[in-house]
Amino acid sequence: MAGLDTVTGLPRSVDLRDNEEAKFAIAHIADPNERRRLALAEIDKASFGWYHVRAVIVAGIGFFTDAYDIFAVGLITNMLGVVYFNNSIPTTADTAIKVATSGGTVLGQVGFGILADIVGRKRMYGLELIIIIFATLAQAVSAASPGITIVGVIIFWRVIMGIGIGGDYPLSAIITSEFATTKWRGAMMGSVFAMQGMGQLAAGIIALICAAGYKSQLQEANVKPYYNDCHGDCAVAVDQMWRIIVGFGAVPACIALYYRLTIPETPRYTFDVARDVEKGSEDTRAYFENKPEGKVDEIKRVETYRNAEEHLEIEKASAGDFFRHFSQWRYGKVLLGTAGSWFFLDVAFYGLGLNSPVILSAIGWSGGSDLYQIFYKTAVGNIILVCAGAIPGYWVTVATVDTIGRKPIQLGGFLMLTILFCIIGFAYYQLSGGALLGLYVLAQFFFNFGPNATTFIVPGECFPTRYRSSAHGISAGSGKVGSIVAQVAIGTLRTRDQTTANPSGWLNHVMEIYALFMLLGVGTTLLLPETKRRTLEELAGEEPAAAVALGMNEGSSPSGSLEKSHE
C-alpha cells in the first residue's frame, strides 16, 4: 500500500495534475523547497501528452530551418559562380561563404545561451527566429554593387543569420529538456534534433524543384565548360534559382514564430533562477492545461518570493558562482566532456560533408551534358546521401536513446567512426566506387546514431538550471569551432599533391586525420555521466536521491550521480 506524503497527507500515488485537493494542498505549502520539488516531480512523472508534442514541434520546426539554411548553401554556391563569375565560384569565395555561417553560429550559441540564463528562456525564444527570417530574406534580395561584391554581401548576411541559427541550439534544447518527462526526455530532444535531417532533405528537394522548373533555360548552357555558357535567359534562371532556394528558408521560420513567442517560461527557470515559487507553481499547472502562463495573486506572490529568498536551497546564479561551480573537477569535467566531444565530432562531420562531391562522382550523380543535368544530379545526389544514411541514423537514435542510453550510443558511434575513417583512409586507393559509397553511408548513419545526436542531447540535461543554457551554448559553440577548423584548415589539405588525374591527392590522409579526431572523441565521452531516466535535478547534483524517491532511476545507482558538495 502506498504511503502518505508527509506534507500533503495524500497518497504518494495520487496524480497531482488530476486532483484538485492535491493542487490546493500544494498551493498552501509554506516550504518553497517542497513546493518546488512537488511541482517539478509532476513534470518529470507526467504521461506523454499534447503539451509534449507541442514543445517538440515548436522546437523542431526551428531546427528544420537551421539545417535547411546551413546545408542549402552547398547547393547555391555553384549557382553564384554561374551568375557572378561566369564560371565555377572561386574556392576562397566558396569557403568564406560557408565559414561565415559557422562564425555567426558560434556567436549566437554562446551569446544566446548566456542570455537565456540571465533573462529567461521565454524572453529569448523567438528572437533568434526573427533574426533568421530577416537575414534570410535579406540574402534572397541581395545584389552586388560597385562598392561591394555579392560574396561580401552574402557573407555579411550569413554571419547575421548564423547568430540566429546559433541561438536556436541552446534554446530549443533547454526548453525541450526542461518541459520533458524524465522517461522520454531523450526521445523528445532527439526528435527535435532529427529535424536537422529533414531540413537537409528539404534543401535538396527545393533545389530539385527549381532545376526542374527552369529546365528549358538551363539546357541552353550545353557547351563545355557549362558554367561559362550560361547567358541571357539561362543566367536569369540561375539567379532566380539561388534566391528561391535561400528565401524558402524563411517559410518554416515564419510558421513557428508565433508559437515560439507565446510559449510559457519553463517552471524550472522560474523556480531556480527567478526564484518565483508562486509563479512557478502556477506555470506548472498552466503547462499541463496548455495555457501560456499561470495566473497568480500578486500579494501572495510577493510574500512567497520573500520567503523563497530566505529559504530556497538552490544557489543563486552569478559569475563568481559559475566559475566556482565549474572549477570543481566533478562538474568541470562534464563541461569538458560535452564541449570536447562536440568539437571532435564537428571536425569530421563537416569535413566529410566537404567531400560529398567525391562520393557523388563515384555513384554517377555529378556532371552532365548541360547545366540542367549538373544541377539536377547534384540535388538528387544529395537527397540520396541524406536518405540513405543520415535520416535513418537520426530516427534510430530517437527510438533507442531512452533504452540504450546516451553514453553507449555516443561511445559506440565514435568507435565505429574511428574504424570507418581508418578503412577509408588507409585503403582509399583499393576501394571501388560502390565500397566508398557504402562506407560513406555507414559513416553518416553512425554520425547520427551516435555523437551528432547525443552531443546535442546530453548538454541539455547534465548541468544545473541556472547554467544549463550557458553550458549548452559553450558546448555547441565548441562544436562550430570544430567545423571552422574542418573547413579552413583540414579541408584545404584535400587538394595537396593534386594532379589532373587525382584532384584530391591528400583525401586519404584527411580521412586518417578524421579517424584520430573520432578516437579523441571516445576519450571525452568517458568524462560524461549517463543521463538516461534520471531527473535534471539529480544530474545537476541538487537532489542525488530524487530519481530513486520518484521510482524513475531504474538500472542506475544514485552513487553514479554528480553528488552535491556540502562545504
Side-chain angles (χ1 to χ4, degrees):
M1 182 175 178
L4 298 179
D5 189 286
T6 56
V7 179
T8 67
L10 296 166
R12 288 193 175 94
S13 60
V14 170
D15 187 336
L16 303 184
R17 289 175 287 112
D18 298 328
N19 189 289
E20 291 301 322
E21 182 182 355
K23 288 179 181 178
F24 181 82
I26 289 177
H28 288 78
I29 293 173
D31 183 0
N33 297 292
E34 186 64 13
R35 287 188 68 176
R36 169 184 176 273
R37 185 189 70 78
L38 289 171
L40 297 185
E42 285 313 301
I43 295 175
D44 290 336
K45 294 190 297 181
S47 56
F48 193 81
W50 167 245
Y51 32 84
H52 296 119
V53 175
R54 180 186 62 184
V56 170
I57 291 174
V58 171
I61 292 177
F63 242 80
F64 174 97
T65 302
D66 299 342
Y68 180 95
D69 289 332
I70 289 172
F71 293 98
V73 69
L75 299 169
I76 69 163
T77 50
N78 282 334
M79 298 177 188
L80 293 173
V82 170
V83 177
Y84 294 98
F85 296 92
N86 198 30
N87 204 330
S88 57
I89 189 168
T91 302
T92 53
D94 179 70
T95 301
I97 290 173
K98 293 174 180 176
V99 170
T101 312
S102 296
T105 303
V106 173
L107 298 176
Q109 288 165 331
V110 177
F112 272 76
I114 293 171
L115 287 172
D117 278 337
I118 295 173
V119 303
R121 286 74 160 121
K122 178 179 173 61
R123 290 185 180 180
M124 299 304 297
Y125 210 39
L127 177 59
E128 82 289 352
L129 272 190
I130 293 173
I131 294 172
I132 292 172
I133 292 167
F134 181 75
T136 298
L137 295 177
Q139 284 177 77
V141 296
S142 294
S145 72
I148 188 170
T149 66
I150 188 64
V151 172
V153 174
I154 291 178
I155 286 174
F156 173 81
W157 287 118
R158 289 199 73 83
V159 170
I160 302 300
M161 184 183 74
I163 292 173
I165 291 173
D168 201 28
Y169 275 73
L171 285 169
S172 289
I174 300 312
I175 286 176
T176 305
S177 172
E178 292 181 353
F179 275 131
T181 171
T182 300
K183 185 177 181 180
W184 301 114
R185 187 175 62 233
M188 288 178 63
M189 297 180 72
S191 296
V192 171
F193 193 71
M195 294 307 292
Q196 185 178 83
M198 305 310 293
Q200 291 175 256
L201 177 62
I205 291 173
I206 297 300
L208 179 61
I209 291 171
C210 287
Y214 289 101
K215 180 177 180 179
S216 59
Q217 293 95 322
L218 296 176
Q219 287 178 327
E220 293 177 9
N222 54 17
V223 177
K224 289 186 177 181
Y226 306 116
Y227 293 147
N228 296 30
D229 192 41
C230 185
H231 309 286
D233 290 344
C234 176
V236 171
V238 176
D239 191 41
Q240 292 175 349
M241 282 173 62
W242 78 262
R243 296 177 190 278
I244 292 170
I245 294 170
V246 170
F248 182 81
V251 175
C254 290
I255 295 172
L257 182 58
Y258 168 78
Y259 298 98
R260 289 204 170 190
L261 293 174
T262 56
I263 200 167
E265 181 59 88
T266 70
R268 282 184 161 89
Y269 180 87
T270 307
F271 278 121
D272 292 3
V273 183
R275 307 176 80 80
D276 192 339
V277 175
E278 187 70 23
K279 186 70 163 61
S281 301
E282 293 303 315
D283 280 352
T284 302
R285 183 189 304 187
Y287 171 61
F288 289 118
E289 295 172 353
N290 289 316
K291 295 178 180 178
E293 61 180 336
K295 295 182 179 179
V296 297
D297 182 319
E298 291 299 330
I299 296 177
K300 187 176 180 181
R301 183 181 184 181
V302 172
E303 294 174 352
T304 307
Y305 182 81
R306 289 173 179 170
N307 183 40
E309 280 291 290
E310 295 179 11
H311 298 103
L312 200 61
E313 295 174 356
I314 302 302
E315 295 284 347
K316 286 186 178 181
S318 67
D321 179 64
F322 178 90
F323 289 108
R324 280 194 302 272
H325 181 81
F326 286 108
S327 65
Q328 300 176 68
W329 175 242
R330 73 182 109 183
Y331 303 125
K333 72 175 183 179
V334 179
L335 182 58
L336 178 62
T338 56
S341 296
W342 211 329
F343 173 84
F344 295 136
L345 161 75
D346 274 9
V347 170
F349 182 72
Y350 282 87
L352 187 65
L354 293 175
N355 297 298
S356 293
V358 177
I359 307 301
L360 293 177
S361 178
I363 63 175
W365 282 99
S366 66
S369 59
D370 55 45
L371 204 54
Y372 163 72
Q373 288 196 15
I374 292 174
F375 289 150
Y376 174 84
K377 286 186 174 182
T378 300
V380 173
N382 278 277
I383 291 172
I384 292 171
L385 294 179
V386 171
C387 291
I391 291 178
Y394 285 115
W395 292 105
V396 171
T397 297
V398 172
T400 61
V401 71
D402 284 310
T403 52
I404 296 176
R406 287 66 151 159
K407 192 171 181 177
I409 290 176
Q410 181 165 314
L411 196 60
F414 271 129
L415 286 170
M416 286 300 302
L417 289 164
T418 301
I419 295 169
L420 290 170
F421 280 120
C422 281
I423 294 172
I424 296 173
F426 290 104
Y428 182 75
Y429 291 108
Q430 286 75 45
L431 295 172
S432 65
L436 189 61
L437 171 63
L439 291 167
Y440 182 92
V441 169
L442 282 173
Q444 287 291 342
F445 178 81
F446 283 107
F447 268 128
N448 297 301
F449 177 48
N452 195 37
T454 54
T455 51
F456 174 80
I457 295 172
V458 174
E461 300 177 303
C462 60
F463 300 107
T465 300
R466 64 190 186 276
Y467 303 129
R468 187 171 292 128
S469 183
S470 298
H472 194 286
I474 291 169
S475 301
S478 175
K480 279 297 176 287
V481 170
S483 75
I484 294 172
V485 170
Q487 294 173 85
V488 175
I490 300 175
T492 57
L493 294 175
R494 178 176 59 87
T495 56
R496 188 175 179 180
D497 296 337
Q498 66 178 353
T499 62
T500 304
N502 184 16
S504 301
W506 251 53
L507 182 57
N508 58 327
H509 299 308
V510 168
M511 295 298 155
E512 293 160 8
I513 293 171
Y514 293 156
L516 174 61
F517 277 97
M518 294 301 92
L519 186 60
L520 292 172
V522 172
T524 53
T525 299
L526 296 175
L527 298 173
L528 301 175
E530 176 52 65
T531 61
K532 177 187 71 172
R533 303 286 168 89
R534 296 167 69 182
T535 69
L536 298 179
E537 285 64 46
E538 179 194 5
L539 289 164
E542 296 164 356
E543 296 179 14
V548 176
L550 293 168
M552 291 183 292
N553 198 30
E554 300 173 8
S556 64
S557 167
S559 62
S561 65
L562 299 175
E563 296 182 359
K564 182 179 179 180
S565 61
H566 298 281
E567 298 176 350

